[in-house]
Amino acid sequence: MVMKGEKMDVRSSRDSQYSEHVDLLLSKLDLKNKTIVEIGSNSNLVSASLLNKECEVVYATNIIKGFSETPSTEGIIPLELDARLLNTHFEKNSIDLIYGIAVSEHIHDPSLMLDAIFDILKPGGYFFVHGG
């Protein structure tokens, strides 16, 4: 997604492509001291780019067995967690931004995921999901 008049760098990695899209979207948001959840985190490239925006913490979630033991950048907390169960891990109204890139097609019951997301999202918070 490139807006008219903006440059787009051509990058070879799929994660970098998605990172660029998210950077463009998030450039409009103030993320300083915010708590963020990434759904379906892969290599933490996007999560790491959010730390440059001075957010408080990024929870990188994925259902891959052993994901919570994945080495990560300081400030990124990897969690082995299904998006449909976010509200079992996080408190109600505790997250400022929840996003997922190329994940919507992998969610078997989107209504459960949406219920969980809107349960933990702060009033005035942001939710962004991208299909692959």
Side-chain angles (χ1 to χ4, degrees), residues 69-114:
E69 282 81 42
T70 303
S72 66
T73 305
E74 185 178 343
I76 299 174
I77 301 172
L79 297 173
E80 184 180 325
L81 185 62
D82 188 313
R84 298 171 295 177
L85 302 174
L86 290 169
N87 56 352
T88 65
H89 187 81
F90 297 101
E91 293 183 20
K92 187 177 183 84
N93 302 324
S94 63
I95 305 297
D96 298 290
L97 168 68
I98 302 168
Y99 74 94
I101 300 170
V103 296
S104 59
E105 68 275 18
H106 300 288
I107 306 297
H108 298 292
D109 189 341
S111 64
L112 286 176
M113 178 190 73
L114 291 172

